[in-house]
Amino acid sequence: MVPFIYGSTATPISKKDNPSDPSHTHKWSVYVRGVNGEDLSFCIKRVTIKLHESFAVPTRVIESPPFEVTETGWGEFEIMIKISFVDSNERPVTLYHQLQLYPKDEAAIQAQGKKPVIINHYEELVFNEPT
Ligand SMILES: O=C(Nc1ccc(C(=O)N2CC(c3nccs3)C2)s1)[C@@H]1CCCN1
């Protein structure tokens, strides 16, 4: 079994941070990585991250670590993450992650300031025994 994390980190940005698109309020990253940051490329061949269709090149294919996408934006939406394995006998795993830019808790929203919103899911990859 291989433990891994998938999730996102979102940080508020100011208009001067992104003059090209002042409507963008946050910079965020969505990722798949090892629990202690270890390199998963021994078992993960590719991570495909599908963003909302309004992004340029919404389907991002990453074939070497870091398996992550960093973008700026203004809203929250579902992101599909497909993990393909080095062992082609292992079927790919598809995960769905709801990008979160704002704290859920009303009080935390007031206190957010520049604090990042980090949403991590801890999972385990289970591989079939060779026959
Ligand atoms: O927010 C939401 N959907 C979003 C889709 C895409 C978003 C975004 O952030 N961006 C598109 C990208 C671009 N900027 C300029 C040109 S393309 C920056 S937000 C939904 C709607 C209600 C609740 N959540």
Side-chain angles (χ1 to χ4, degrees), residues 21 23-24 28 52 54-56 72-77 98-99 101:
D21 207 321
S23 67
H24 289 192
W28 47 259
H52 188 274
S54 57
F55 281 86
T72 61
W74 47 266
E76 302 175 323
F77 54 91
Q98 179 65 24
L99 177 64
L101 304 183

Side-chain angles (χ1 to χ4, degrees), residues 26-46:
H26 289 75
K27 179 175 185 179
W28 47 259
S29 294
V30 60
Y31 42 76
V32 171
R33 64 172 179 227
V35 168
N36 298 311
E38 70 263 21
D39 179 354
L40 296 180
S41 51
F42 72 94
C43 64
I44 294 178
K45 176 170 63 182
R46 144 180 352 105

Side-chain angles (χ1 to χ4, degrees), residues 7-18:
S8 58
T9 299
T11 309
I13 56 176
S14 62
K15 290 184 178 14
K16 69 176 172 49
D17 290 337
N18 189 23

